Amino acid sequence: MHLNDLLKFTQRRAFLRQSAGLLGTGLFTSQSPLSFANMIDEMDEVRIGYLPITDATALLIAHANGLFEKEGLKVAPPMMVKSWPKLIQGFLSGRFNVVHLLKPIPVWLRYNHNFPVKIMSWAHINGSAIVTGKHINAEKFEDLAGKQIAVPYWYSMHNIVLQMSLRHVGLKPVVKAGYEKLAANEVNLRVLPPPLMVWALKAQNIDAYIVAEPINAKGELLAGARLLRFTGDIWRNHPCCVVCMDERVTQQQPEWTQKVMNAIVKAQAYAQQNKLETAKILSTEGQAYIPADEKVLRHGMTAYGSDYQLTNAIKHPDWDSGRIDFAPWPYPSATHLLIDSFPETLFGSPDVAFIDQLEAEHVIDDLVDYDFVSEAMDVCHGWKKAPGIDLADPFKREEVIQI
């Protein structure tokens, strides 16, 4: 190993050791990560890490449909992990070089931990909901007073959108131990890995959760749960997960990066226009990327009809959104709104001082890479089929929140 490479490797290990106790999340282990030099050497292979949720659809369909190979790339079988800390750990160590992350996570990684993550595109829009157990009678947000609600991660769109909604009706999000008494206007939040949410709801260990599909569909179909509200009906066509890569890779391997993004944008176009086929591919009856049967995945990707309007889970049918949709362009306006929401959001973690230093305009320019995705969109025009796009000015939009 050359001296410069050794220095980079040593500095990287020091960074991981210093970060070993962060948040008690287990993000970092004592295992030696790949050096950056080795990461670059292995860039001929796409290594995808993902959670078994529909947020990963674009990455998984790109693999299933051979879109990476059509770009001349080698690709390893996508590796499924069961929690956000595990996925982040795999990304930081170089085990994965293409991942989907909840949009607040790269903000936290880049500006609190100085990791050179880049948002390359959105992975999808909408795709989440607030689900309540059948043991409680909850028809509106006010009914969540005094309840226990699970979120998939503190730095998640779910946590942010949920807290927006609770504050709107005068409820106070708190983080307390399970035995602590809640005030009449308080709602207790806790982090729970998505695969555990349905079973925790059935056992009445929680009263509600907010998460991605197909966990909401599983709650409805397997636990008799009620879908209180779609998040895409609160924040119109909001981002949730984003496609992320290491900035050093994108700078040193631009041709490789462009090919990866070409495949992902094409996969999004396919998924948007072929949701039933996509559900089958992802399901256990298909290629088993997600441990859910085709019925559950079809429900989680397409069930967005008038029945939900009757229960007020959908209040804005005129928005013409789907239960989940796929659109790659990372609108700066959404990033601005997200950063503006950070100071008023409760994150149940000690390392939040970085939030005071965030400036939306800087984050818009610094965190997001627009070049590779825009070039991919020039090649594949299927993204134009996604909802809410003004084809006269497709790279700008106005953010709409109506709770």
Side-chain angles (χ1 to χ4, degrees):
M1 183 181 292
H2 294 299
L3 178 59
N4 287 341
D5 295 334
L6 180 60
L7 285 172
K8 290 175 182 176
F9 179 74
T10 303
Q11 291 166 354
R12 179 82 179 111
R13 289 192 67 184
F15 166 77
L16 291 178
R17 282 197 299 270
Q18 291 166 4
S19 304
L22 289 174
L23 300 184
T25 58
L27 293 185
F28 308 106
T29 71
S30 60
Q31 297 175 350
S32 298
L34 290 171
S35 71
F36 179 60
N38 288 338
M39 287 172 62
I40 290 295
D41 288 343
E42 297 182 13
M43 280 303 107
D44 63 329
E45 183 178 64
V46 180
R47 300 189 302 278
I48 295 168
Y50 74 98
L51 259 67
I53 51 179
T54 54
D55 298 32
T57 293
L59 304 182
L60 301 176
I61 290 298
H63 177 265
N65 289 358
L67 298 178
F68 293 116
E69 289 90 342
K70 290 177 182 177
E71 293 289 332
L73 299 170
K74 296 179 182 178
V75 57
M79 183 168 292
M80 180 174 65
V81 297
K82 295 296 182 68
S83 70
W84 290 110
K86 290 291 186 182
L87 185 59
I88 297 167
Q89 179 187 36
F91 177 58
L92 296 181
S93 69
R95 185 181 188 186
F96 310 130
N97 53 29
V98 181
V99 294
H100 67 106
L101 296 176
L102 296 161
K103 189 170 182 179
I105 291 177
V107 178
W108 171 64
L109 290 179
R110 190 171 181 95
Y111 301 110
N112 194 52
H113 300 306
N114 298 313
F115 187 82
V117 58
K118 273 285 190 179
I119 293 176
M120 305 303 295
S121 73
W122 288 359
H124 69 103
I125 55 177
N126 307 320
S128 296
I130 299 101
V131 175
T132 60
K134 63 181 182 180
H135 63 283
I136 67 171
N137 182 23
E139 297 183 354
K140 54 188 183 299
F141 281 111
E142 289 89 339
D143 298 330
L144 298 178
K147 300 298 188 290
Q148 306 281 335
I149 304 181
V151 299
Y153 204 65
W154 291 126
Y155 291 100
S156 67
M157 297 299 295
H158 308 88
N159 187 36
I160 288 171
V161 174
L162 174 64
Q163 291 192 37
M164 284 180 181
S165 304
L166 295 175
R167 290 193 304 269
H168 181 75
V169 298
L171 296 181
K172 180 182 179 181
V174 297
V175 178
K176 293 184 176 181
Y179 57 83
E180 293 184 77
K181 186 176 180 180
L182 298 178
N185 70 329
E186 290 182 338
V187 177
N188 198 35
L189 307 182
R190 57 180 288 192
V191 168
L192 197 63
L196 300 181
M197 287 184 173
V198 174
W199 316 120
L201 194 70
K202 288 184 70 173
Q204 300 183 22
N205 291 326
I206 57 174
D207 301 305
Y209 60 74
I210 178 171
V211 75
E213 298 295 349
I215 312 301
N216 306 311
K218 283 186 174 182
E220 290 181 278
L221 299 178
L222 304 180
R226 172 193 174 94
L227 204 157
L228 182 68
R229 192 77 182 276
F230 288 105
T231 57
D233 192 66
I234 296 171
W235 180 348
R236 186 178 185 181
N237 297 324
H238 68 83
C240 186
C241 269
V242 290
V243 176
C244 291
M245 296 173 65
D246 189 311
E247 183 178 21
R248 297 167 296 180
V249 172
T250 68
Q251 291 176 345
Q252 295 196 25
Q253 298 288 337
E255 292 185 11
W256 183 90
T257 301
Q258 188 61 63
K259 291 177 180 179
V260 171
M261 293 309 302
N262 290 347
I264 290 172
V265 169
K266 291 175 183 176
Q268 290 198 11
Y270 176 89
Q272 179 63 24
Q273 297 172 50
N274 301 278
K275 291 182 180 179
L276 295 180
E277 293 84 351
T278 295
K280 183 172 184 178
I281 290 170
L282 299 179
S283 73
T284 51
E285 291 93 327
Q287 298 197 31
Y289 291 109
I290 295 177
D293 62 36
E294 184 179 353
K295 177 183 177 181
V296 168
L297 275 162
R298 289 178 68 165
H299 189 84
M301 297 190 79
T302 64
Y304 200 75
S306 58
D307 289 348
Y308 291 113
Q309 295 175 37
L310 294 175
T311 62
N312 283 325
I314 299 175
K315 293 186 177 182
H316 307 292
D318 56 304
W319 285 3
D320 195 31
S321 301
R323 185 153 174 156
I324 184 171
D325 294 294
F326 302 93
W329 182 245
Y331 286 98
S333 55
T335 299
H336 202 299
L337 180 55
L338 173 66
I339 298 305
D340 287 347
S341 73
F342 264 58
E344 59 185 1
T345 300
L346 173 65
F347 299 100
S349 57
D351 60 341
V352 294
F354 77 99
I355 293 174
D356 294 335
Q357 308 303 318
L358 293 177
E359 296 181 359
E361 293 298 336
H362 173 71
V363 174
I364 287 169
D365 294 334
D366 181 62
L367 178 63
V368 184
D369 191 309
Y370 303 94
D371 295 335
F372 294 103
V373 65
S374 62
E375 187 168 331
M377 291 167 70
D378 284 341
V379 174
C380 175
H381 297 160
W383 55 270
K384 296 178 180 179
K385 301 291 186 180
I389 295 176
D390 180 1
L391 295 180
D393 194 4
F395 302 111
K396 293 182 181 180
R397 75 177 194 183
E398 180 181 354
E399 301 304 318
V400 178
I401 294 179
Q402 293 184 9
I403 299 170

